[in-house]
Amino acid sequence: MNDNSSRFGKFIELRFNTSHHVTSALMYEYLLEKSRVVHQSPGEQNFHVFYLFFAGLAQMPDSSKYDLGSPEDHRVINSNDKALAKISSKAMREMYDELVGCMNIVGFAQTDIDDIFHLLSGVIQICDVEFGGDETAMLASDPSILTKASKQLGLDPEVMPEALLRSTVVTRGESITRNYKPEEADDVRDASAKALYGRCFTYIVQKCNELLGPKEKKLQVGEKTIGILDIFGFECFEVNSLEQFLINLANEQLQFFF
């Protein structure tokens, strides 16, 4: 489905029985490029699943439950016109069908898939929330945006502004509340979106391991394993993100080792 970088590093362990047939597989994920959720360099795209999600909405009879509207309205994906233009293509719709088909084959229930899409919708919409003010952050965007995001994430709409606009620290039984500055509220919003996406990604990997992994953690008599390391490629941009720095460092160390 994705012929270029997978945007995350992983280690896959395949187990074989004495007849050399694959009996199970375990996947370990690391270094997910979560910064891509909220920011993409010029000419780059967000994670493929966001575009596939919008491509699939046109085929869903109950798409209104995700309350998303047009993809052009959302900050996390509207910076790349070419990627947006492809959403309505036949190829993208087919890739969406393939995505859902793969999830069904692995063993995800329809309720699991619905929950994942609701979370994606929440991530998309929480990134549309904007803040204003001078020293104290306040909501500058339409309050309905935050209400929609809260609904998709299953959270209380009354609590979300509190979480995004101020922090509360409890010290020796005393609560101290501090209002965020607008730029701090932006960081909290983006950090929340990245954390939600990262947790969802980890959940999917864990679910795959539950369904495809071995019943016993220890190798059985006669079992053999093959480990496959999949990592990003070495790239040097005009401005490198922290993830790209770590990727380049890991590649340098691997080249040195081998």
Side-chain angles (χ1 to χ4, degrees):
M1 291 182 63
N2 180 5
D3 297 328
N4 59 21
S5 173
S6 57
R7 305 302 175 194
F8 79 104
K10 59 183 176 291
F11 178 79
I12 301 174
E13 180 184 280
L14 299 177
R15 291 194 181 187
F16 300 84
N17 59 21
T18 53
S19 300
H20 310 298
H21 295 148
V22 176
T23 58
S24 59
L26 281 173
M27 180 164 54
Y28 304 88
E29 50 106 358
Y30 59 90
L31 202 61
L32 175 67
E33 194 183 1
K34 290 182 288 188
S35 62
R36 183 172 292 271
V37 173
V38 298
H39 174 76
Q40 304 90 45
S41 299
E44 293 198 337
Q45 301 181 24
N46 207 320
F47 286 98
H48 285 62
V49 69
F50 289 108
Y51 306 96
L52 297 180
F53 182 26
F54 275 101
L57 286 176
Q59 307 177 58
M60 298 180 191
D62 55 350
S63 61
S64 60
K65 66 183 180 182
Y66 298 113
D67 211 0
L68 276 172
S70 173
E72 289 83 359
D73 298 334
H74 303 290
R75 178 174 72 94
V76 295
I77 64 169
N78 65 7
S79 63
N80 189 314
D81 292 336
K82 290 183 178 179
L84 288 176
K86 292 179 181 178
I87 289 177
S88 59
S89 67
K90 179 182 177 183
M92 289 292 282
R93 292 194 296 271
E94 290 176 347
M95 289 177 68
Y96 168 79
D97 291 337
E98 184 181 351
L99 170 66
V100 175
C102 288
M103 297 179 79
N104 287 325
I105 290 172
V106 170
F108 283 87
Q110 187 58 49
T111 52
D112 296 328
I113 297 174
D114 289 343
D115 288 343
I116 291 171
F117 285 156
H118 276 297
L119 187 142
L120 284 178
S121 175
V123 169
I124 291 169
Q125 297 191 70
I126 199 173
C127 289
D128 293 330
V129 177
E130 297 178 351
F131 304 97
D134 296 322
E135 290 299 313
T136 301
M138 60 183 67
L139 282 176
S141 54
D142 190 323
S144 65
I145 296 175
L146 190 54
T147 300
K148 291 178 183 179
S150 302
K151 181 180 177 182
Q152 294 298 318
L153 296 171
L155 301 174
D156 186 348
E158 301 297 324
V159 174
M160 282 293 281
E162 181 74 21
L164 295 175
L165 294 174
R166 56 191 63 89
S167 66
T168 301
V169 178
V170 179
T171 304
R172 297 180 180 178
E174 182 181 355
S175 296
I176 301 174
T177 299
R178 182 180 72 86
N179 293 321
Y180 289 129
K181 296 179 180 180
E183 60 271 18
E184 292 175 329
D186 286 340
D187 290 339
V188 171
R189 173 202 61 205
D190 290 350
S192 299
K194 290 187 288 185
L196 286 165
Y197 187 88
R199 292 290 184 89
C200 181
F201 195 92
T202 298
Y203 163 75
I204 292 173
V205 172
Q206 291 175 344
K207 192 75 171 177
C208 289
N209 285 337
E210 289 175 8
L211 299 167
L212 303 177
K215 295 181 179 179
E216 300 291 337
K217 291 186 178 181
K218 291 185 178 180
L219 285 175
Q220 302 302 300
V221 177
E223 274 193 324
K224 303 294 182 183
T225 66
I226 292 178
I228 303 170
L229 177 65
D230 182 5
I231 194 170
F232 303 81
F234 183 98
E235 294 180 277
C236 188
F237 299 105
E238 191 171 322
V239 178
N240 289 304
S241 64
L242 173 62
E243 289 95 343
Q244 191 62 53
F245 169 76
L246 296 174
I247 292 160
N248 292 348
L249 177 62
N251 275 281
E252 290 283 2
Q253 292 297 316
L254 286 171
Q255 292 292 329
F256 177 78
F257 182 78
F258 290 108

